[in-house]
Tab-separated table of all heavy atoms in Angstrom:
chain	number	residue	atom	x	y	z
S	20	ARG	N	75.383	149.823	86.814
S	20	ARG	CA	75.245	150.631	85.603
S	20	ARG	C	73.807	151.055	85.304
S	20	ARG	O	73.566	151.737	84.297
S	20	ARG	CB	75.788	149.833	84.414
S	20	ARG	CG	77.271	149.504	84.518
S	20	ARG	CD	77.698	148.496	83.469
S	20	ARG	NE	79.092	148.106	83.625
S	20	ARG	CZ	80.113	148.701	83.009
S	20	ARG	NH1	79.867	149.721	82.179
S	20	ARG	NH2	81.349	148.311	83.210
S	21	GLY	N	72.866	150.643	86.130
S	21	GLY	CA	71.483	151.034	85.905
S	21	GLY	C	70.822	150.293	84.748
S	21	GLY	O	69.888	150.813	84.120
S	22	GLN	N	71.271	149.073	84.465
S	22	GLN	CA	70.685	148.285	83.383
S	22	GLN	C	69.497	147.484	83.905
S	22	GLN	O	69.503	146.995	85.034
S	22	GLN	CB	71.749	147.362	82.781
S	22	GLN	CG	72.902	148.122	82.136
S	22	GLN	CD	74.078	147.236	81.788
S	22	GLN	OE1	74.148	146.075	82.196
S	22	GLN	NE2	75.029	147.784	81.043
S	23	ARG	N	68.493	147.307	83.046
S	23	ARG	CA	67.236	146.682	83.443
S	23	ARG	C	67.277	145.177	83.142
S	23	ARG	O	67.680	144.771	82.059
S	23	ARG	CB	66.062	147.334	82.701
S	23	ARG	CG	65.877	148.796	83.060
S	23	ARG	CD	64.911	149.494	82.115
S	23	ARG	NE	63.596	148.873	82.091
S	23	ARG	CZ	62.653	149.095	82.980
S	23	ARG	NH1	62.884	149.932	83.992
S	23	ARG	NH2	61.468	148.514	82.874
S	24	VAL	N	66.844	144.378	84.122
S	24	VAL	CA	66.899	142.924	83.963
S	24	VAL	C	65.501	142.316	84.068
S	24	VAL	O	64.629	142.836	84.762
S	24	VAL	CB	67.840	142.285	85.015
S	24	VAL	CG1	69.235	142.889	84.928
S	24	VAL	CG2	67.280	142.449	86.421
S	25	TYR	N	65.339	141.195	83.374
S	25	TYR	CA	64.061	140.461	83.398
S	25	TYR	C	64.372	139.007	83.708
S	25	TYR	O	65.287	138.420	83.123
S	25	TYR	CB	63.367	140.585	82.039
S	25	TYR	CG	61.893	140.188	82.047
S	25	TYR	CD1	60.906	141.156	81.950
S	25	TYR	CD2	61.495	138.853	82.135
S	25	TYR	CE1	59.556	140.808	81.941
S	25	TYR	CE2	60.163	138.496	82.145
S	25	TYR	CZ	59.194	139.480	82.034
S	25	TYR	OH	57.852	139.140	82.035
S	26	PHE	N	63.598	138.424	84.627
S	26	PHE	CA	63.778	137.035	85.022
S	26	PHE	C	62.601	136.216	84.500
S	26	PHE	O	61.448	136.476	84.865
S	26	PHE	CB	63.855	136.910	86.546
S	26	PHE	CG	64.997	137.669	87.168
S	26	PHE	CD1	64.799	138.928	87.708
S	26	PHE	CD2	66.271	137.118	87.214
S	26	PHE	CE1	65.844	139.633	88.294
S	26	PHE	CE2	67.320	137.809	87.800
S	26	PHE	CZ	67.116	139.069	88.333
S	27	LEU	N	62.901	135.215	83.685
S	27	LEU	CA	61.862	134.368	83.108
S	27	LEU	C	62.189	132.913	83.437
S	27	LEU	O	63.194	132.375	82.969
S	27	LEU	CB	61.808	134.576	81.589
S	27	LEU	CG	60.845	133.686	80.793
S	27	LEU	CD1	59.404	133.856	81.272
S	27	LEU	CD2	60.945	133.999	79.296
S	28	GLY	N	61.335	132.291	84.270
S	28	GLY	CA	61.577	130.898	84.605
S	28	GLY	C	61.182	130.554	86.022
S	28	GLY	O	60.729	131.419	86.792
S	29	ALA	N	61.312	129.274	86.365
S	29	ALA	CA	61.017	128.733	87.690
S	29	ALA	C	59.526	128.855	88.029
S	29	ALA	O	58.703	129.247	87.193
S	29	ALA	CB	61.872	129.404	88.764
S	30	ARG	N	59.178	128.518	89.271
S	30	ARG	CA	57.804	128.641	89.749
S	30	ARG	C	57.631	129.998	90.409
S	30	ARG	O	58.603	130.638	90.815
S	30	ARG	CB	57.487	127.534	90.761
S	30	ARG	CG	57.730	126.125	90.258
S	30	ARG	CD	57.251	125.080	91.265
S	30	ARG	NE	57.724	125.345	92.623
S	30	ARG	CZ	58.902	124.949	93.101
S	30	ARG	NH1	59.752	124.292	92.318
S	30	ARG	NH2	59.248	125.211	94.343
S	31	ASP	N	56.385	130.428	90.543
S	31	ASP	CA	56.115	131.749	91.124
S	31	ASP	C	56.702	131.877	92.523
S	31	ASP	O	57.286	132.914	92.865
S	31	ASP	CB	54.606	132.010	91.170
S	31	ASP	CG	54.029	132.319	89.793
S	31	ASP	OD1	54.728	132.964	88.990
S	31	ASP	OD2	52.892	131.900	89.523
S	32	ALA	N	56.562	130.835	93.347
S	32	ALA	CA	57.075	130.900	94.719
S	32	ALA	C	58.589	131.038	94.722
S	32	ALA	O	59.158	131.803	95.524
S	32	ALA	CB	56.656	129.655	95.499
S	33	VAL	N	59.264	130.317	93.834
S	33	VAL	CA	60.721	130.407	93.723
S	33	VAL	C	61.117	131.801	93.237
S	33	VAL	O	62.076	132.398	93.748
S	33	VAL	CB	61.259	129.328	92.771
S	33	VAL	CG1	62.749	129.537	92.491
S	33	VAL	CG2	61.031	127.943	93.364
S	34	LEU	N	60.384	132.301	92.266
S	34	LEU	CA	60.679	133.647	91.749
S	34	LEU	C	60.603	134.693	92.855
S	34	LEU	O	61.465	135.570	92.945
S	34	LEU	CB	59.689	134.016	90.642
S	34	LEU	CG	60.073	133.703	89.199
S	34	LEU	CD1	58.959	134.166	88.264
S	34	LEU	CD2	61.385	134.365	88.810
S	35	ARG	N	59.582	134.616	93.679
S	35	ARG	CA	59.427	135.604	94.754
S	35	ARG	C	60.613	135.566	95.706
S	35	ARG	O	61.150	136.617	96.085
S	35	ARG	CB	58.111	135.359	95.513
S	35	ARG	CG	56.867	135.771	94.743
S	35	ARG	CD	55.650	135.810	95.662
S	35	ARG	NE	55.313	134.483	96.176
S	35	ARG	CZ	54.500	133.621	95.580
S	35	ARG	NH1	53.938	133.939	94.420
S	35	ARG	NH2	54.231	132.450	96.125
S	36	ARG	N	61.021	134.359	96.109
S	36	ARG	CA	62.154	134.245	97.023
S	36	ARG	C	63.452	134.685	96.346
S	36	ARG	O	64.302	135.323	96.969
S	36	ARG	CB	62.270	132.805	97.538
S	36	ARG	CG	61.187	132.427	98.535
S	36	ARG	CD	61.504	131.124	99.241
S	36	ARG	NE	61.359	129.978	98.350
S	36	ARG	CZ	60.212	129.329	98.142
S	36	ARG	NH1	59.112	129.729	98.743
S	36	ARG	NH2	60.178	128.284	97.340
S	37	MET	N	63.597	134.347	95.085
S	37	MET	CA	64.800	134.744	94.345
S	37	MET	C	64.879	136.259	94.201
S	37	MET	O	65.939	136.860	94.402
S	37	MET	CB	64.808	134.075	92.970
S	37	MET	CG	66.073	134.303	92.157
S	37	MET	SD	65.978	135.778	91.116
S	37	MET	CE	64.687	135.298	89.992
S	38	LEU	N	63.749	136.897	93.892
S	38	LEU	CA	63.738	138.353	93.739
S	38	LEU	C	64.062	139.043	95.059
S	38	LEU	O	64.749	140.076	95.075
S	38	LEU	CB	62.372	138.815	93.218
S	38	LEU	CG	62.074	138.468	91.757
S	38	LEU	CD1	60.614	138.766	91.425
S	38	LEU	CD2	62.998	139.255	90.823
S	39	ALA	N	63.591	138.490	96.164
S	39	ALA	CA	63.901	139.056	97.473
S	39	ALA	C	65.400	138.959	97.750
S	39	ALA	O	66.017	139.912	98.256
S	39	ALA	CB	63.107	138.341	98.561
S	40	GLU	N	66.001	137.815	97.411
S	40	GLU	CA	67.439	137.633	97.630
S	40	GLU	C	68.255	138.538	96.712
S	40	GLU	O	69.247	139.136	97.140
S	40	GLU	CB	67.811	136.169	97.401
S	40	GLU	CG	69.299	135.860	97.500
S	40	GLU	CD	69.888	136.147	98.870
S	40	GLU	OE1	69.110	136.283	99.847
S	40	GLU	OE2	71.127	136.225	98.969
S	41	VAL	N	67.844	138.649	95.460
S	41	VAL	CA	68.539	139.525	94.508
S	41	VAL	C	68.463	140.973	94.968
S	41	VAL	O	69.443	141.724	94.889
S	41	VAL	CB	67.936	139.351	93.096
S	41	VAL	CG1	68.372	140.485	92.175
S	41	VAL	CG2	68.354	138.015	92.503
S	42	GLY	N	67.289	141.377	95.473
S	42	GLY	CA	67.141	142.740	95.978
S	42	GLY	C	68.037	143.010	97.172
S	42	GLY	O	68.560	144.115	97.334
S	43	ARG	N	68.231	141.976	98.003
S	43	ARG	CA	69.105	142.118	99.166
S	43	ARG	C	70.568	142.231	98.742
S	43	ARG	O	71.316	143.055	99.269
S	43	ARG	CB	68.918	140.924	100.105
S	43	ARG	CG	69.714	141.020	101.403
S	43	ARG	CD	69.650	139.726	102.184
S	43	ARG	NE	70.368	138.642	101.513
S	43	ARG	CZ	71.695	138.505	101.552
S	43	ARG	NH1	72.452	139.387	102.201
S	43	ARG	NH2	72.270	137.490	100.934
S	44	ARG	N	70.970	141.399	97.763
S	44	ARG	CA	72.365	141.381	97.331
S	44	ARG	C	72.746	142.594	96.489
S	44	ARG	O	73.879	143.073	96.560
S	44	ARG	CB	72.651	140.120	96.507
S	44	ARG	CG	72.640	138.817	97.257
S	44	ARG	CD	73.249	137.733	96.367
S	44	ARG	NE	73.037	136.392	96.891
S	44	ARG	CZ	73.600	135.313	96.376
S	44	ARG	NH1	74.396	135.410	95.319
S	44	ARG	NH2	73.362	134.121	96.885
S	45	TYR	N	71.801	143.057	95.685
S	45	TYR	CA	72.124	144.107	94.708
S	45	TYR	C	71.139	145.271	94.848
S	45	TYR	O	70.227	145.434	94.026
S	45	TYR	CB	72.077	143.548	93.283
S	45	TYR	CG	72.868	142.274	93.123
S	45	TYR	CD1	72.221	141.036	93.039
S	45	TYR	CD2	74.260	142.291	93.078
S	45	TYR	CE1	72.938	139.857	92.913
S	45	TYR	CE2	74.991	141.118	92.960
S	45	TYR	CZ	74.321	139.898	92.881
S	45	TYR	OH	75.039	138.740	92.760
S	46	PRO	N	71.302	146.059	95.902
S	46	PRO	CA	70.403	147.197	96.097
S	46	PRO	C	70.443	148.121	94.875
S	46	PRO	O	71.492	148.394	94.315
S	46	PRO	CB	70.992	147.895	97.331
S	46	PRO	CG	71.807	146.845	98.013
S	46	PRO	CD	72.353	145.973	96.923
S	47	GLY	N	69.286	148.572	94.475
S	47	GLY	CA	69.223	149.478	93.338
S	47	GLY	C	69.091	148.787	91.991
S	47	GLY	O	68.948	149.450	90.960
S	48	LEU	N	69.147	147.449	91.974
S	48	LEU	CA	69.000	146.727	90.709
S	48	LEU	C	67.612	147.002	90.132
S	48	LEU	O	66.604	146.887	90.819
S	48	LEU	CB	69.169	145.222	90.936
S	48	LEU	CG	68.992	144.335	89.693
S	48	LEU	CD1	70.134	144.561	88.708
S	48	LEU	CD2	68.906	142.865	90.090
S	49	GLN	N	67.564	147.365	88.868
S	49	GLN	CA	66.300	147.665	88.201
S	49	GLN	C	65.732	146.388	87.585
S	49	GLN	O	66.231	145.916	86.570
S	49	GLN	CB	66.506	148.728	87.118
S	49	GLN	CG	66.948	150.078	87.648
S	49	GLN	CD	66.987	151.131	86.558
S	49	GLN	OE1	66.114	151.186	85.696
S	49	GLN	NE2	68.004	151.977	86.600
S	50	VAL	N	64.708	145.843	88.238
S	50	VAL	CA	64.055	144.637	87.740
S	50	VAL	C	62.912	145.069	86.824
S	50	VAL	O	61.900	145.609	87.272
S	50	VAL	CB	63.534	143.770	88.893
S	50	VAL	CG1	62.801	142.547	88.346
S	50	VAL	CG2	64.691	143.336	89.791
S	51	ALA	N	63.099	144.817	85.525
S	51	ALA	CA	62.092	145.219	84.547
S	51	ALA	C	60.838	144.359	84.665
S	51	ALA	O	59.729	144.814	84.364
S	51	ALA	CB	62.672	145.117	83.139
S	52	GLY	N	61.013	143.104	85.091
S	52	GLY	CA	59.868	142.222	85.236
S	52	GLY	C	60.308	140.806	85.545
S	52	GLY	O	61.494	140.477	85.520
S	53	ALA	N	59.322	139.961	85.835
S	53	ALA	CA	59.600	138.554	86.132
S	53	ALA	C	58.348	137.752	85.812
S	53	ALA	O	57.215	138.228	85.996
S	53	ALA	CB	59.995	138.377	87.588
S	54	ARG	N	58.579	136.532	85.340
S	54	ARG	CA	57.458	135.637	85.013
S	54	ARG	C	57.913	134.201	85.192
S	54	ARG	O	59.062	133.873	84.946
S	54	ARG	CB	57.012	135.842	83.566
S	54	ARG	CG	55.715	135.102	83.209
S	54	ARG	CD	55.585	134.869	81.719
S	54	ARG	NE	54.266	134.357	81.367
S	54	ARG	CZ	53.854	133.095	81.527
S	54	ARG	NH1	54.701	132.211	82.053
S	54	ARG	NH2	52.641	132.720	81.178
S	55	ASN	N	56.988	133.339	85.606
S	55	ASN	CA	57.343	131.929	85.756
S	55	ASN	C	57.621	131.309	84.388
S	55	ASN	O	57.252	131.860	83.348
S	55	ASN	CB	56.252	131.159	86.504
S	55	ASN	CG	54.976	131.029	85.697
S	55	ASN	OD1	54.952	130.471	84.605
S	55	ASN	ND2	53.877	131.545	86.245
S	56	GLY	N	58.261	130.153	84.395
S	56	GLY	CA	58.663	129.523	83.139
S	56	GLY	C	57.685	128.500	82.624
S	56	GLY	O	58.026	127.730	81.714
S	57	TYR	N	56.478	128.479	83.156
S	57	TYR	CA	55.494	127.483	82.764
S	57	TYR	C	54.517	128.076	81.752
S	57	TYR	O	53.462	128.604	82.109
S	57	TYR	CB	54.779	126.935	84.004
S	57	TYR	CG	55.727	126.177	84.891
S	57	TYR	CD1	56.475	126.838	85.871
S	57	TYR	CD2	55.932	124.811	84.721
S	57	TYR	CE1	57.380	126.153	86.664
S	57	TYR	CE2	56.835	124.118	85.520
S	57	TYR	CZ	57.548	124.791	86.480
S	57	TYR	OH	58.454	124.114	87.267
S	58	PHE	N	54.907	128.004	80.500
S	58	PHE	CA	54.041	128.487	79.418
S	58	PHE	C	54.199	127.548	78.231
S	58	PHE	O	55.227	126.896	78.055
S	58	PHE	CB	54.396	129.927	79.031
S	58	PHE	CG	55.840	130.141	78.643
S	58	PHE	CD1	56.262	129.980	77.324
S	58	PHE	CD2	56.786	130.507	79.598
S	58	PHE	CE1	57.587	130.185	76.971
S	58	PHE	CE2	58.119	130.706	79.248
S	58	PHE	CZ	58.525	130.540	77.927
S	59	SER	N	53.170	127.492	77.425
S	59	SER	CA	53.168	126.595	76.267
S	59	SER	C	53.870	127.248	75.087
S	59	SER	O	54.155	128.455	75.085
S	59	SER	CB	51.726	126.257	75.879
S	59	SER	OG	51.063	127.433	75.400
S	60	ALA	N	54.132	126.443	74.063
S	60	ALA	CA	54.747	126.971	72.845
S	60	ALA	C	53.867	128.037	72.223
S	60	ALA	O	54.369	129.030	71.674
S	60	ALA	CB	54.992	125.833	71.855
S	61	GLY	N	52.556	127.856	72.330
S	61	GLY	CA	51.641	128.841	71.768
S	61	GLY	C	51.658	130.169	72.509
S	61	GLY	O	51.299	131.204	71.933
S	62	GLU	N	52.043	130.131	73.778
S	62	GLU	CA	52.103	131.360	74.584
S	62	GLU	C	53.427	132.087	74.446
S	62	GLU	O	53.561	133.225	74.890
S	62	GLU	CB	51.866	131.029	76.058
S	62	GLU	CG	50.483	130.493	76.367
S	62	GLU	CD	50.366	129.998	77.801
S	62	GLU	OE1	51.232	129.200	78.210
S	62	GLU	OE2	49.422	130.425	78.493
């Protein structure tokens, strides 16, 4: 449907591998962004 997704969590290395797998499984998926899950309450 062309909907934009954002992935927040895990470690950077895991995110990279996950994004590669997601791109392989779902060609054309619009990834709006991604960030690791290691941030403080203040962040």
Side-chain angles (χ1 to χ4, degrees):
R20 297 169 184 268
Q22 297 169 349
R23 296 168 58 82
V24 303
Y25 195 107
F26 299 97
L27 175 59
R30 305 186 311 274
D31 286 325
V33 172
L34 268 181
R35 286 193 295 271
R36 288 192 288 273
M37 186 270 295
L38 289 171
E40 176 62 17
V41 165
R43 184 189 68 79
R44 291 193 192 188
Y45 310 104
L48 178 68
Q49 296 186 40
V50 177
R54 189 202 189 282
N55 69 60
Y57 295 87
F58 56 89
S59 67
E62 295 172 309

